[in-house]
Amino acid sequence: MAENTEGDLNSNLLHAPYHTGDPQLDTAIGQWLRWDKNPKTKEQIENLLRNGMNKELRDRLCCRMTFGTAGLRSAMGAGFCYINDLTVIQSTQGMYKYLERCFSDFKQRGFVVGYDTRGQVTSSCSSQRLAKLTAAVLLAKDVPVYLFSRYVPTPFVPYAVQKLKAVAGVMITASHNRKEDNGYKVYWETGAQITSPHDKEILKCIEECVEPWNGSWNDNLVDTSPLKRDPLQDICRRYMEDLKKICFYRELNSKTTLKFVHTSFHGVGHDYVQLAFKVFGFKPPIPVPEQKDPDPDFSTVKCPNPEEGESVLELSLRLAEKENARVVLATDPDADRLAAAELQENGCWKVFTGNELAALFGWWMFDCWKKNKSRNADVKNVYMLATTVSSKILKAIALKEGFHFEETLPGFKWIGSRIIDLLENGKEVLFAFEESIGFLCGTSVLDKDGVSAAVVVAEMASYLETMNITLKQQLVKVYENIFERLRNFDSPKEYPKFCGTFAILHVRDVTTGYDSSQPNKKSVLPVSKNSQMITFTFQNGCVATLRTSGTEPKIKYYAEMCASPDQSDTALLEEELKKLIDALIENFLQPSKNGLIWRSV
């Protein structure tokens, strides 16, 4: 009897009818082994089949990826629910079918493809290879493809879609996800991420086009097709030119004594942030040498997400201390998000939250607008946006300054979509953000952009430095808007009469010199305009004071119950005081809306 060789076994696997006891799984196994031409991912499925791993086969082959807030995103590896050569080909075939239906000029306008620096050896899968396969599917169908010849920040793809008037674009990235992941992020002709119904319709088309077409695997087309174009130089030049629209103090930037450290977290950001600093007139930021070059293993961080704070910023903070740099800027691996930290006088680092940075950006962008606006500019046409789960501090600034603040659903795709509506109606959008360190200054790009955000923070810090103000000190000033809301609670120049269900008897505001308990309404205590402090006296005897800290971005509260002699039930009084404090925080400070963290002492 002849010995069964490995080659025979693979041949048998390829052609055998599979009998796992699950007809759906049997069909899926057959499809995968027929369609996948990547030896590594094909072998992964063959090994699972050989070892009878039916549950894992079912998990990998019997479900598909769906569009989330960031497009398709999953682990790299074999299976229809993973990111790999075959699923990217299938996704692009579905894209082609849908775009052909939507755009009669698809084959004239073309499609943009970009990629980051992710990769996985065990699946022979990299962002660059997936980008080439994406391009190959479309080139085989005679669609012009603008394929970047080098890795780029994610915002370059939506920017290119707009500038090149392409019908759509894809960025192969999983942003700041763990190293095992990758993704397929889709942008519409507007330069904004796709929203419903496009996402659902594309998924339907993908399901109708699961078998690879002739030519879909032919990645040689990327090197031979006359329809392939490289937009890198043109888009980089135009992007950097557009950055000048949000640069307001170039001469000051060129003279600043401040030093900046930048980490690109083993991703794409280094070269592009260096260029952006040059555009703004700065000396180059100091790069973190261990993290400036692409590394798909993200080998110096436990997690490639700068939002994680000081623990993942360790190398950049130590370098900043060594180089006497006060500000650290960290772009995530695809450079669409930004984290920032500032060295404080006590030698500790302040790592700003997304909401705190947004408060600074909002103040800065409006301040620059005011100083540079044209004569006929109307503040009522100015907008700032945030996702609904983000801080409402911009709302407080908007109420004071007279511009509009709007919320969107979570995800920058909704922000991009709303910006388009506003721009089409002649409005001006200065700034938009989501609390997970995603920021957009101006509207040259319609997605979050860590490159532009990094250089805007640098300009902001340099400007404040000329007045001996740190970013953290300016943040304290911005949060004083919460007190402006209390001074204009139900209507202009009117303090609140109730806090939840608790009636307010008197209000004393030592910042403005007002005291409702005095006959002349003037505070007996000296006026202190440099800090914010309002005291509320309630009808139940409670006295509560809210004030800003003079040294930190904190709002402190003090409350005591001054009961009449006939009220001797201490437990009851303590319960009443606790309820009032809860009402004070919820109704006046609104921590969830203003990005405040409640720390009770």
Side-chain angles (χ1 to χ4, degrees):
M1 190 173 180
E3 187 178 345
N4 192 2
T5 65
E6 184 69 20
D8 292 335
L9 179 58
N10 287 341
S11 176
N12 290 339
L13 280 170
L14 186 60
H15 298 105
Y18 305 103
H19 300 293
T20 63
D22 182 339
Q24 182 190 9
L25 178 57
D26 294 343
T27 301
I29 292 168
Q31 289 174 334
W32 186 272
L33 295 178
R34 284 198 309 277
W35 297 342
D36 187 14
K37 292 187 180 180
N38 178 322
K40 293 280 183 74
T41 46
K42 190 171 184 176
E43 185 183 17
Q44 287 175 26
I45 296 300
E46 287 171 344
N47 285 340
L48 291 171
L49 181 60
R50 188 179 293 110
N51 293 316
M53 308 286 283
N54 288 358
K55 184 185 182 304
E56 187 166 345
L57 283 166
R58 196 173 292 109
D59 290 343
R60 286 174 175 262
L61 297 172
C62 293
C63 60
R64 281 195 174 280
M65 293 177 288
T66 57
F67 281 99
T69 55
L72 300 171
R73 196 173 283 184
S74 186
M76 290 179 276
F80 292 120
C81 65
Y82 281 57
I83 293 283
N84 51 64
D85 291 4
L86 179 56
T87 55
V88 162
I89 285 172
Q90 292 173 326
S91 300
T92 309
Q93 290 181 168
M95 281 289 297
Y96 170 83
K97 185 169 184 178
Y98 184 62
L99 293 171
E100 189 183 39
R101 183 195 307 166
C102 294
F103 299 99
S104 59
D105 55 355
F106 181 20
K107 293 187 178 179
Q108 285 73 52
R109 292 169 60 188
F111 189 94
V112 175
V113 182
Y115 55 92
D116 68 9
T117 56
R118 286 175 173 264
Q120 185 182 73
V121 174
T122 54
S123 299
S124 190
C125 183
S126 70
S127 294
Q128 184 177 28
R129 172 163 172 78
L130 297 177
K132 285 183 175 181
L133 287 169
T134 300
V137 170
L138 298 169
L139 292 168
K141 290 291 185 180
D142 299 322
V143 175
V145 175
Y146 298 96
L147 173 65
F148 284 96
S149 57
R150 185 175 185 265
Y151 54 81
V152 289
T154 288
F156 272 40
V157 170
Y159 181 81
V161 169
Q162 278 188 294
K163 294 297 177 184
L164 302 173
K165 296 182 170 54
V167 300
V170 158
M171 176 70 184
I172 306 294
T173 182
S175 191
H176 56 281
N177 274 38
R178 61 192 192 127
K179 68 179 182 181
E180 290 82 5
D181 292 353
N182 216 325
Y184 187 93
K185 195 171 187 179
V186 182
Y187 295 90
W188 202 239
E189 63 169 338
T190 55
Q193 291 180 51
I194 57 165
T195 55
S196 190
H198 298 310
D199 51 0
K200 293 179 179 60
E201 292 301 316
I202 292 168
L203 279 176
K204 280 186 198 171
C205 289
I206 292 171
E207 286 163 10
E208 293 166 8
C209 302
V210 288
E211 184 168 358
W213 300 331
N214 288 336
S216 286
W217 280 97
N218 185 12
D219 57 350
N220 289 333
L221 285 170
V222 167
D223 302 314
T224 60
S225 173
L227 292 173
K228 197 272 305 210
R229 296 152 198 179
D230 176 14
L232 181 65
Q233 297 302 323
D234 177 46
I235 290 303
C236 193
R237 177 186 57 78
R238 290 164 78 172
Y239 173 90
M240 294 300 163
E241 188 64 30
D242 271 346
L243 267 188
K244 293 176 183 176
K245 295 175 184 175
I246 52 172
C247 176
F248 301 99
Y249 296 95
R250 196 175 194 278
E251 190 176 340
L252 184 152
N253 297 342
S254 67
K255 296 174 182 174
T256 187
T257 56
L258 272 186
K259 286 182 176 181
F260 302 92
V261 160
H262 169 243
T263 173
S264 51
F265 264 64
H266 299 293
V268 306
H270 172 74
D271 292 342
Y272 302 99
V273 170
Q274 294 273 318
L275 283 171
F277 266 65
K278 188 177 180 182
V279 167
F280 269 55
F282 285 109
K283 294 181 182 72
I286 303 161
V288 178
E290 303 94 326
Q291 297 177 335
K292 79 179 181 69
D293 297 321
D295 172 9
D297 289 325
F298 307 114
S299 51
T300 67
V301 289
K302 62 178 182 182
C303 158
N305 183 0
E307 194 182 0
E308 294 296 317
E310 203 161 336
S311 63
V312 293
L313 295 172
E314 179 72 21
L315 284 174
S316 49
L317 301 182
R318 299 298 80 81
L319 177 64
E321 289 164 1
K322 180 184 169 188
E323 296 284 351
N324 197 27
R326 202 177 76 206
V327 177
V328 165
L329 301 164
T331 48
D332 70 342
D334 69 326
D336 69 343
R337 284 177 167 83
L338 176 80
E342 181 182 55
L343 187 62
Q344 305 304 298
E345 283 187 4
N346 63 3
C348 296
W349 286 92
K350 162 67 180 171
V351 180
F352 296 94
T353 67
N355 285 326
E356 288 172 338
L357 276 178
L360 288 167
F361 276 122
W363 158 74
W364 175 254
M365 294 303 290
F366 188 74
D367 191 66
C368 292
W369 179 86
K370 276 196 298 187
K371 290 173 181 172
N372 295 277
K373 70 179 190 293
S374 60
R375 230 179 248 176
N376 58 351
D378 186 351
V379 72
K380 290 176 183 171
N381 284 325
V382 171
Y383 282 73
M384 292 194 195
L385 307 177
T387 57
T388 189
V389 293
S390 303
S391 166
K392 307 302 180 288
I393 187 63
L394 296 186
K395 184 177 182 181
I397 300 172
L399 286 169
K400 181 186 176 187
E401 300 286 0
F403 64 85
H404 293 272
F405 168 75
E406 283 192 8
E407 290 182 291
T408 71
L409 291 170
F412 234 91
K413 62 183 181 181
W414 300 109
I415 285 177
S417 179
R418 181 57 183 149
I419 289 174
I420 291 162
D421 293 342
L422 290 167
L423 294 179
E424 286 174 352
N425 284 283
K427 308 303 181 187
E428 187 174 4
V429 180
L430 300 184
F431 174 66
F433 84 101
E434 59 184 4
E435 46 77 36
S436 53
I437 61 172
F439 311 107
L440 173 58
C441 299
T443 53
S444 292
V445 179
L446 294 181
D447 201 5
K448 53 189 174 287
D449 183 355
V451 176
S452 60
V455 75
V456 169
V457 169
E459 182 170 77
M460 189 195 312
S462 299
Y463 172 83
L464 291 169
E465 171 71 4
T466 63
M467 296 177 285
N468 279 327
I469 299 172
T470 65
L471 291 169
K472 186 176 175 182
Q473 287 166 345
Q474 180 60 30
L475 182 64
V476 173
K477 292 175 181 287
V478 173
Y479 271 94
E480 289 173 357
N481 278 285
I482 292 170
F483 287 82
E484 286 302 309
R485 176 178 164 269
L486 295 176
R487 296 184 183 109
N488 302 273
F489 199 74
D490 292 317
S491 56
K493 297 183 179 178
E494 191 173 302
Y495 292 87
K497 295 180 175 63
F498 284 86
C499 179
T501 59
F502 297 95
I504 294 169
L505 189 62
H506 294 300
V507 177
R508 182 183 66 205
D509 187 343
V510 297
T511 309
T512 63
Y514 172 81
D515 188 341
S516 66
S517 69
Q518 298 300 314
N520 61 359
K521 307 297 182 192
K522 290 188 177 178
S523 173
V524 176
L525 292 175
V527 175
S528 175
K529 291 190 175 178
N530 292 329
S531 62
Q532 302 286 324
M533 189 164 81
I534 302 177
T535 300
F536 300 95
T537 303
F538 291 85
Q539 283 187 355
N540 66 357
C542 180
V543 178
T545 297
L546 302 176
R547 76 170 182 89
T548 52
S549 165
T551 57
E552 299 176 278
K554 284 183 180 177
I555 296 173
K556 299 184 176 182
Y557 66 89
Y558 309 84
E560 63 176 342
M561 181 65 81
C562 308
S564 57
D566 59 318
Q567 291 179 294
S568 56
D569 189 334
T570 308
L572 197 66
L573 292 171
E574 284 180 353
E575 182 62 25
E576 179 85 347
L577 179 60
K578 183 181 179 302
K579 285 179 181 175
L580 193 142
I581 289 171
D582 289 343
L584 188 79
I585 290 164
E586 190 59 36
N587 291 280
F588 288 177
L589 296 182
Q590 298 181 304
S592 60
K593 290 187 175 181
N594 291 311
L596 303 174
I597 299 168
W598 182 5
R599 290 196 180 99
S600 183
V601 224

